[in-house]
Amino acid sequence: MRELGSAGSSEDGPVFVGDGRYELIRHLGSGGMGDVVAARDVRLDRRVALKFLGAARLTGATPGSERHIRALELFVREGHTMARVDHTYVATIYDCDVGGADPFLVMEHVDGRPLTEYVGGDPLLLEQTVRWSGQIAEGLAAAHREGVMHRDIKPANILITHDNSEVRIIDFGLARFADATESHTDMGTPLYRSPERCRFESGDERSDLYSLGCVMYEMVTGWPPFGDRHSDAAALAKEHQHRSPVRPARQVPDVPDALDGLIMALLAKNPADRPQNAHAVVRALQEVERTLEAMAAKRRLVSGHTAPQVDAGFTERIRVTEKRVRRLTLQFGPAHGETLAARSELAELTGESGDERGAMELYEQMGRDCQRRYGPHDHRALDAFEKMTRWIEGGYER
């Protein structure tokens, strides 16, 4: 594939592939399986993403050889399999092209960021964790219903959309392609790999659920259940097979028992001890959501507020407010008056939903942003830190 500049065109002008149907726009990223490029479907005039696979590099086979041809046939079959998955939370596969030097998949262009940009430090808000985990589980349930396993669930393969903060799972089936072609590519560190996958077994639907448990563990605590991105792969594989992680609730305050228990069940070494299927995980997360809402109702009742219904609708209200915060931040910046008002509303909703730690962290970040923009003693920064302190001391209960 010809080298693309940052704007998409090469030095020789626009680049087209797929017999001229797809105009390459810009390079989006690279991984063990190949390159991802934003493109335009000229025929339908829509944005798409192309996932290029260096088949010769992946298989170690000479282009045109029998082994290379078999790999391309397998790639087409896997493309057809992936295209069967039709669900809101799974990136749609539109086409598969093997006519050029580098075969590629044509998929839905997702305007968003990978979950890797949200995790890897501080825990996520509990509401975010439960909402996004439920969406991942729903996407997996739809795929498993079609007999399609992902085999490589990890934050890099989970995109969060900019417009409505929803999940899109990408790269279904590519790990199977790598396995079947005996590829030795780096499919990512085994931070999220099930014990059976660490033993190079094919696994089943519950292998995806173990990986989901690893992702949820990182969302709740800020780090994966074992090691980090610099850990030795063989050592990580042994830990997945033989060591039990520390329970999330022992590391982070305010993690509901139901969520803590679900994550530990997903991380069971024996697949038979994990939830039966992704639908069961969806139902369990719905119960966690109801628990958070009941906690919020109790908090407001104790504080003297008018008691709401148990279903306080926090999930939808937080989602809508998150969207408004992102829009205002892009338009005005993080410390503009309108943005700060929306961020304060989001922090209060987060605390009222039962996530006092989340409210505290949102106000702390607001204070730091105001200090950077207006100075260390600005009243907006001091106000944010005062509200942070209120949630540290118990929010409405004080």
Side-chain angles (χ1 to χ4, degrees):
M1 187 175 66
R2 198 190 309 169
E3 189 70 23
L4 293 177
S6 58
S9 298
S10 74
E11 293 181 357
D12 300 324
V15 181
F16 294 87
V17 296
D19 293 328
R21 177 168 179 175
Y22 302 105
E23 179 187 4
L24 306 187
I25 305 300
R26 72 180 185 280
H27 185 265
L28 295 176
S30 299
M33 293 297 292
D35 299 300
V36 182
V37 177
R40 182 175 71 92
D41 182 337
V42 176
R43 186 180 303 168
L44 298 179
D45 191 25
R46 68 177 173 187
R47 296 174 69 193
V48 294
L50 307 186
K51 180 83 173 188
F52 285 88
L53 301 183
R57 174 174 58 82
L58 291 173
T59 63
T62 303
S65 68
E66 183 178 351
R67 182 180 175 188
H68 186 258
I69 292 172
R70 287 200 305 269
L72 294 182
E73 292 173 348
L74 174 62
F75 177 63
V76 172
R77 288 201 300 273
E78 288 303 312
H80 289 166
T81 299
M82 289 182 271
R84 294 206 308 264
V85 183
D86 181 14
H87 194 270
T88 301
Y89 302 132
V90 176
T92 304
I93 300 296
Y94 297 132
D95 198 2
C96 176
D97 190 293
V98 296
D102 291 322
F104 61 87
L105 290 171
V106 183
M107 64 186 72
E108 171 189 0
H109 182 278
V110 180
D111 186 13
R113 295 187 294 162
L115 185 60
T116 47
E117 296 188 21
Y118 293 85
V119 297
D122 295 327
L124 295 186
L125 305 179
L126 285 175
E127 189 279 333
Q128 282 181 324
T129 295
V130 174
R131 171 160 43 100
W132 290 343
S133 297
Q135 292 174 359
I136 298 167
E138 287 189 42
L140 288 176
H144 294 167
R145 188 166 54 246
E146 296 294 332
V148 181
M149 279 180 56
H150 193 289
R151 290 183 170 82
D152 194 25
I153 288 292
K154 58 186 179 183
N157 284 337
I158 300 164
L159 302 181
I160 306 299
T161 62
H162 287 313
D163 59 343
N164 55 11
S165 190
E166 286 185 347
V167 157
R168 295 291 186 278
I169 308 173
I170 62 172
D171 284 4
F172 264 96
L174 293 186
R176 175 182 166 89
F177 175 74
D179 288 348
T181 56
E182 299 180 353
S183 164
H184 297 290
T185 60
D186 177 15
M187 286 295 293
T189 65
L191 286 171
Y192 313 95
R193 210 171 282 167
S194 68
E196 57 272 24
R197 290 283 291 161
C198 289
R199 294 190 295 268
F200 303 103
E201 300 169 5
S202 60
D204 59 17
E205 298 174 3
R206 292 166 297 184
S207 300
D208 281 347
L209 298 186
Y210 182 94
S211 298
L212 172 58
C214 292
V215 173
M216 290 173 60
Y217 191 102
E218 186 169 8
M219 287 195 280
V220 168
T221 68
W223 48 84
F226 306 111
D228 57 35
R229 288 166 178 78
H230 304 291
S231 297
D232 176 73
L236 281 172
K238 288 181 180 179
E239 290 189 290
H240 279 297
Q241 294 176 75
H242 306 296
R243 181 183 158 203
S244 295
V246 178
R247 301 187 75 98
R250 291 182 58 186
Q251 305 179 68
V252 179
D254 302 324
V255 176
D257 291 343
L259 180 58
D260 183 73
L262 174 60
I263 292 173
M264 294 304 293
L266 288 167
L267 294 178
K269 304 302 181 188
N270 186 347
D273 294 331
R274 298 171 201 157
Q276 183 177 7
N277 51 45
H279 287 293
V281 179
V282 172
R283 291 193 296 270
L285 286 164
Q286 290 170 343
E287 286 298 319
V288 174
E289 185 176 308
R290 282 190 281 271
T291 297
L292 291 175
E293 290 168 344
M295 290 167 57
K298 181 178 179 181
R299 183 189 315 278
R300 292 177 65 86
L301 183 61
V302 169
S303 69
H305 286 67
T306 301
Q309 298 297 316
V310 171
D311 183 0
F314 280 107
T315 296
E316 178 62 16
R317 291 164 64 192
I318 289 175
R319 187 188 69 80
V320 170
T321 308
E322 276 182 347
K323 182 177 180 180
R324 189 165 81 252
V325 168
R326 284 195 301 274
R327 176 176 58 79
L328 292 171
T329 300
L330 290 172
Q331 184 176 0
F332 300 119
H336 184 274
E338 289 188 44
T339 310
L340 291 176
R343 292 176 69 180
S344 182
E345 181 181 348
L346 177 60
E348 290 300 310
L349 283 171
T350 299
E352 292 169 21
S353 74
D355 189 2
E356 294 181 2
R357 172 185 52 78
M360 178 192 71
E361 291 176 354
L362 288 172
Y363 273 127
E364 181 180 20
Q365 186 57 55
M366 278 180 60
R368 295 187 185 282
D369 288 341
C370 289
Q371 284 183 328
R372 281 192 290 268
R373 176 66 177 84
Y374 302 113
H377 304 297
D378 182 80
H379 69 91
R380 285 158 286 204
L382 297 177
D383 181 60
F385 288 130
E386 181 181 349
K387 291 177 179 177
M388 177 191 75
T389 301
R390 172 167 60 81
W391 282 108
I392 292 174
E393 294 175 347
Y396 282 117
E397 294 184 17
R398 300 298 180 93

